[in-house]
Amino acid sequence: MAARPNVLRLGIVVILGTVLTLTLWLLAPGLFGLSAATPATTTVSATVSKGATCGQAPDGEVVTFKQDGQQHQARFDGCGHRDGEPVDVSVPVG
């Protein structure tokens, strides 16, 4: 039983696409969002200082957290939290 020409063409296209994708992934990891230069982060518990509703939060919310014994305040890319609500955030180490 002979394979149909369309099936062979599709198989070749799939194999070539897979090989091309893997080659790009290995040669240029930043192309797919996989960067080796990403900063190390740690997760800390924060408190929402200024919550925002999701429909009206272009700048996000403001959270307060403690890291290395110091109190910090930062913008949080989130919405829908109430003032005083605890959230976990990722912050750069150091």
Side-chain angles (χ1 to χ4, degrees):
M1 186 162 136
R4 295 182 3 207
N6 289 338
V7 173
L8 290 175
R9 287 185 192 134
L10 179 62
I12 291 170
V13 168
V14 168
I15 290 171
L16 288 176
T18 303
V19 168
L20 179 65
T21 301
L22 289 175
T23 302
L24 286 174
W25 191 338
L26 293 174
L27 294 178
L31 187 64
F32 294 102
L34 303 172
S35 178
T38 57
T41 61
T42 184
T43 302
V44 298
S45 182
T47 303
V48 176
S49 301
K50 182 182 172 196
T53 60
C54 291
Q56 301 169 349
D59 295 330
E61 300 176 325
V62 177
V63 295
T64 304
F65 62 94
K66 194 176 251 188
Q67 184 182 23
D68 298 330
Q70 294 182 347
Q71 194 83 0
H72 299 276
Q73 198 172 42
R75 291 226 176 262
F76 177 60
D77 187 19
C79 65
H81 298 99
R82 297 179 313 258
D83 291 356
E85 183 177 345
V87 293
D88 289 334
V89 296
S90 293
V91 295
V93 174

